[in-house]
Amino acid sequence: MRPSVDRALSLPRAGARIAVAALALWLAGCAGPPPQRPVAPAPGPSASAAWPTPRAAAPAPLVGAGVRLQAASWGDLPGWAQDDFSGVWQALRRDCSATLPPAMVAVCARAAAVPADDVAAQRAFFQTEFQPWRVLPAGGSADSGLITGYYEPVLHGSLTRAWPYVVPVWGLPDDLQPLPAPGPDGVSAQRVAWRDGQRVTAPYWSRAQIQSDPAAQAQLDRNVVVWLDDPVDALFLQVQGSGLVRLPDGRLLRLSYAGNNGWPYQSVGRWLLDTGRVQGTVTMQVIRAWAQLHPDEVPQLLAANPRVVFFRAEPAADPQRGPVGALGVPLTAMRSVAVDKSMLRLGLPLWLSTTLPPPDQPATPSNGVAWNALVFAQDVGSAITGAIRADVFTGTGDAAGALAGRMQSPGRIWVLLPAGG
């Protein structure tokens, strides 16, 4: 599980931070009778016999107090009939191996009878089992929010420190003590410290403090999981929350989120804009280009974000599997999204309507390509806040990174709630 992964490189333009409350408030306040749903066809002989059995979570609201639901029909979903459903059944199967709300457990049991290669039957299954609801902010008039992308980078590293592999990726420190809530200084993690011979706890080191304190660096370096060859690659690893590392002998390691130092995330893209170093839209490509032109200022760039993410490493037996998200299942490219889990419960299917940047062109407000897709809430991110806010997992490698780095478009969200409650 990877709670609170940092991903947004530029300032989010939409979202609110509001607590969880009961679903019934919205169903009573803004919903009319649900539209008629078609009946799914009888299952065929190719239905999978190995469908996973989810574990039922304790009953809890499926949406939070910051969400207002508006009843919708399947015809209200832009492009519903045109989605080719590639990857949908894989993402649903992965959903069904997790701990899910009780209503989703029942849906998963019935999904086992649907043929794995019959898109028409799968689409009819969703129309039978779910009811679409438009997601709107409870306290505002906005009908769209920000849709961004993230990916799993493939980096170069070594298990031993030797040039050019001199940039550490740290594992979870032994002295890290997470707090249930941020303290008065806003930091939600402590470390053991000694002052005047007394054992005390202190806020964990920020990134700038680590960079300026050789003793802090030495202590963290006792628990390095891998050494990288590029500080900007290390920055993007921190932002994405996971990654693959190719070792000199060709082996691959998968790095997964293990925790953080408790400091609030600050956007390095926002720092570049606020300090006048760049203008316009800041993407990962812009940050990398700026860093290559200003290597002496890279430490300042890194220090602008006080949060440090710690990782665990394991052999990547199946590099194509995808990283594991906060739901505890591997992510599926272009079908898994990170959401604000105080707004939308993890494991729920969503309908996403937004635009993608055109290939090999700078993204602008006017040249986006319409993209409508069935996706699943399977991950979270500390910069992903608000009712209409999603971060799309675009996949692994450079091509996925090029797309994720340019995704920053308005979008609309519908949540698909189990029809049986």
Side-chain angles (χ1 to χ4, degrees):
M1 183 174 180
R2 299 183 304 156
S4 299
V5 177
D6 304 322
R7 298 203 186 88
L9 290 171
S10 57
L11 188 66
R13 295 179 300 213
R17 304 173 184 269
I18 310 178
V20 177
L23 172 64
L25 294 176
W26 300 278
L27 299 185
C30 61
Q36 291 296 111
R37 294 181 296 275
V39 177
S46 60
S48 171
W51 196 268
T53 301
R55 300 172 295 278
L62 299 183
V63 301
V67 174
R68 176 167 58 90
L69 294 180
Q70 184 180 83
S73 69
W74 293 100
D76 294 330
L77 276 53
W80 168 253
Q82 286 72 51
D83 189 351
D84 63 8
F85 267 51
S86 62
V88 162
W89 222 238
Q90 172 181 275
L92 178 62
R93 287 178 64 93
R94 289 175 170 181
D95 238 34
C96 289
S97 68
T99 300
L100 296 173
M104 283 293 295
V105 174
V107 170
C108 286
R110 291 188 287 273
V114 179
D117 58 354
D118 189 337
V119 170
Q122 293 167 13
R123 197 186 315 272
F125 174 82
F126 273 90
Q127 292 177 200
T128 300
E129 295 289 339
F130 293 94
Q131 165 65 44
W133 299 86
R134 178 76 179 274
V135 174
L136 299 168
S141 59
D143 62 358
S144 66
L146 179 64
I147 310 300
T148 52
Y150 70 107
Y151 76 113
E152 183 180 47
V154 180
L155 312 174
H156 297 278
S158 171
L159 297 177
T160 57
R161 188 180 190 276
W163 183 262
Y165 305 111
V166 296
V167 181
V169 175
W170 295 305
L172 197 65
D174 296 334
D175 63 346
L176 183 73
Q177 302 179 45
L179 296 176
D185 49 17
V187 182
S188 60
Q190 297 181 120
R191 62 181 173 84
V192 174
W194 293 89
R195 292 176 181 167
D196 300 325
Q198 300 294 314
R199 183 181 184 275
V200 298
T201 56
Y204 213 84
W205 293 300
S206 69
R207 187 183 302 275
Q209 289 169 341
I210 295 170
Q211 289 180 180
S212 63
D213 186 345
Q217 294 176 33
Q219 183 165 327
L220 290 172
D221 283 353
R222 296 172 190 165
N223 195 24
V224 173
V225 297
V226 72
W227 299 87
L228 301 181
D229 62 351
D230 187 332
V232 178
D233 280 348
L235 165 66
F236 291 156
L237 173 67
Q238 298 258 326
V239 172
Q240 305 304 319
S242 65
L244 293 175
V245 178
R246 190 177 302 279
L247 302 176
D249 62 6
R251 288 181 296 157
L252 283 174
L253 291 180
R254 171 162 272 124
L255 302 185
S256 302
Y257 176 93
N260 65 72
N261 65 343
W263 284 75
Y265 172 77
Q266 299 292 331
S267 166
V268 297
R270 182 77 268 171
W271 178 80
L272 288 172
L273 289 170
D274 289 346
T275 58
R277 285 171 166 83
V278 300
Q279 296 180 347
T281 301
V282 179
T283 65
M284 289 188 291
Q285 291 85 350
V286 169
I287 292 172
R288 186 179 293 280
W290 180 89
Q292 290 174 343
L293 292 172
H294 305 87
D296 293 343
E297 294 185 75
V298 168
Q300 289 178 263
L301 172 77
L302 302 177
N305 176 24
R307 171 164 287 194
V308 176
V309 175
F310 304 111
F311 293 88
R312 58 178 177 271
E314 60 183 359
D318 180 8
Q320 303 305 314
R321 182 199 66 177
V324 175
L327 185 63
V329 302
L331 304 179
T332 301
M334 305 307 290
R335 295 294 180 181
S336 298
V337 298
V339 298
D340 183 342
K341 67 178 181 179
S342 74
M343 301 288 175
L344 299 170
R345 186 84 174 267
L346 291 184
L348 290 175
L350 310 171
W351 186 254
L352 196 59
S353 180
T354 185
T355 60
L356 298 179
D360 304 320
Q361 295 181 36
T364 69
S366 61
N367 70 351
V369 178
W371 184 64
N372 304 295
L374 179 60
V375 298
F376 295 82
Q378 295 179 334
D379 208 358
V380 299
S382 63
I384 312 305
T385 60
I388 315 176
R389 180 73 173 94
D391 206 19
V392 180
F393 175 67
T394 60
T396 298
D398 292 343
L403 174 58
R406 296 182 298 123
M407 281 184 67
Q408 213 174 128
S409 301
R412 295 175 289 166
I413 296 175
W414 288 258
V415 60
L416 307 187
L417 298 181

